[in-house]
Amino acid sequence: MIKQKVFTLFTLTLFLTSAYAQNSVNQFDEDGLRHGKWSKDYHNTKQKRYEGSFKHGKEIDSFKFYTLSSGKSVLSAIKVFNEKDSVADVTFLASNKKVISEGKMNGKRFMGKWTFYHKNSTAKMIVENYNDDGLLNGERFVYFKNGAVAESANYKNGKLDGESKWFSEQSALLRHTNYKDGELEGETINYDASGNITSEGNYIKSKKNGTWKYYKGGELSKEIDHTTQEVLFMKE
C-alpha cells in the first residue's frame, strides 16, 4: 500500500511538473505584460513564428524569428536585446543559415554600421552607416566578391552628399562625382577601363552646366556648352 501511494505521488508530481512547464510559456505578469518565455506559431499552423523572453513586457536576451518556407518554419533572424533600451543586435539569415546581413536595429529602424554579405559567402558586399532616425548617414561602400571596392559614397540624413566614386573589378576608377543634398553638384569626371577620361564637366542640381568636354581614345572629340546647348568644338 505504501509503495502504491509513493508511486501515485511520484506520478502526480511528474504530471504537475509537466503541466507547470507547459503553462510557464506565454505568461503575463500582474500588470498584464508579457513575462518569461514566449513562443508563437503562425496562424492555424504548428510552425513557429518567434520565440524569446520578456521581462515585464520588455524583450530581453535572444529572440529567434522564423519565416514560412514550403510550409515549414525556417530561422530567418536573431535579435539580441538588452534591458536598457529597445536597441538590438540583429543578424538576418538565409534558409541555408548563411548570414545575409548584421547590425543594430531600434524597432524597425537600422542604426549604426550595417554589413551585408555576398550570397553564400562571407565576403562583404555592402558596408553602410545609419543615424538614429534610420537614415543613411556617413560612408557607404559596395564591394566586389574579390574584396575590391566597387562604389564609395557619402550620405547625409538619407541623401547622397559629398564625393562618390565607382571602380572596375580591377580597381580602375570609372567615375568621380559629387553630390549635395541628393543632387549631382560640381565636377564629374568619367573614365574608361584603361584610365582615359571619356567626359568631364559640372552639374548644378543634377543638370549638366557650362562646358563639357568629351574624349575618344584619350583625345578631345567635342566640347558642348550645356547651358546654351551650343557645340563649341567638334573634331572632324
Side-chain angles (χ1 to χ4, degrees):
M1 178 64 71
I2 295 177
K3 289 184 178 180
Q4 185 176 358
K5 288 183 178 180
V6 171
F7 177 76
T8 301
L9 181 61
F10 176 72
T11 304
L12 180 61
T13 301
L14 285 178
F15 173 78
L16 292 174
T17 301
S18 176
Y20 176 78
Q22 292 177 5
N23 292 331
S24 65
V25 178
N26 298 351
Q27 296 295 296
F28 298 90
D29 65 10
E30 61 275 11
D31 295 318
L33 300 174
R34 287 178 286 185
H35 189 67
K37 292 183 178 179
W38 270 70
S39 178
K40 284 288 186 179
D41 294 337
Y42 280 95
H43 185 62
N44 289 332
T45 74
K46 292 185 179 180
Q47 298 303 314
K48 198 176 296 297
R49 183 177 178 182
Y50 75 83
E51 57 184 345
S53 295
F54 289 88
K55 185 175 182 179
H56 304 298
K58 169 73 174 68
E59 300 100 327
I60 60 171
D61 300 329
S62 181
F63 267 69
K64 293 182 179 180
F65 298 85
Y66 301 81
T67 56
L68 282 178
S69 178
S70 300
K72 299 291 184 181
S73 285
V74 177
L75 182 64
S76 60
I78 298 173
K79 295 185 178 182
V80 181
F81 295 90
N82 60 71
E83 296 186 36
K84 298 179 181 179
D85 52 38
S86 56
V87 177
D89 292 304
V90 182
T91 303
F92 287 107
L93 304 165
S95 57
N96 61 1
K97 298 183 180 181
K98 289 286 186 180
V99 176
I100 297 174
S101 59
E102 56 187 346
K104 292 182 180 294
M105 293 182 73
N106 187 347
K108 294 183 178 180
R109 298 196 305 271
F110 282 16
M111 293 182 63
K113 180 180 176 181
W114 267 82
T115 304
F116 300 79
Y117 298 91
H118 283 278
K119 186 176 181 180
N120 297 326
S121 173
T122 58
K124 294 178 182 178
M125 182 174 67
I126 300 172
V127 175
E128 54 194 20
N129 295 276
Y130 291 82
N131 61 22
D132 290 347
D133 293 321
L135 300 173
L136 284 168
N137 202 69
E139 293 182 313
R140 181 180 187 271
F141 294 94
V142 179
Y143 298 91
F144 292 106
K145 205 167 185 177
N146 66 3
V149 175
E151 299 175 24
S152 67
N154 291 275
Y155 282 79
K156 185 177 181 180
N157 294 325
K159 295 181 179 180
L160 283 161
D161 198 282
E163 185 180 59
S164 292
K165 294 180 180 180
W166 285 260
F167 301 88
S168 71
E169 200 164 357
Q170 290 71 41
S171 298
L173 180 62
L174 300 176
R175 181 175 171 87
H176 182 191
T177 192
N178 294 276
Y179 287 85
K180 184 177 181 181
D181 198 28
E183 301 272 9
L184 284 162
E185 191 78 19
E187 185 180 38
T188 288
I189 305 175
N190 296 300
Y191 303 84
D192 62 23
S194 299
N196 299 309
I197 296 176
T198 59
S199 64
E200 58 181 339
N202 287 280
Y203 281 96
I204 293 180
K205 292 185 177 180
S206 296
K207 291 184 178 181
K208 289 182 177 179
N209 182 72
T211 300
W212 272 68
K213 296 180 179 181
Y214 299 87
Y215 302 85
K216 286 185 178 179
E219 295 185 359
L220 182 65
S221 63
K222 62 182 177 182
E223 291 185 18
I224 298 177
D225 185 335
H226 282 280
T227 304
T228 63
Q229 302 307 315
E230 179 183 2
V231 176
L232 303 177
F233 170 78
M234 181 74 72
K235 185 177 181 180
E236 297 182 358

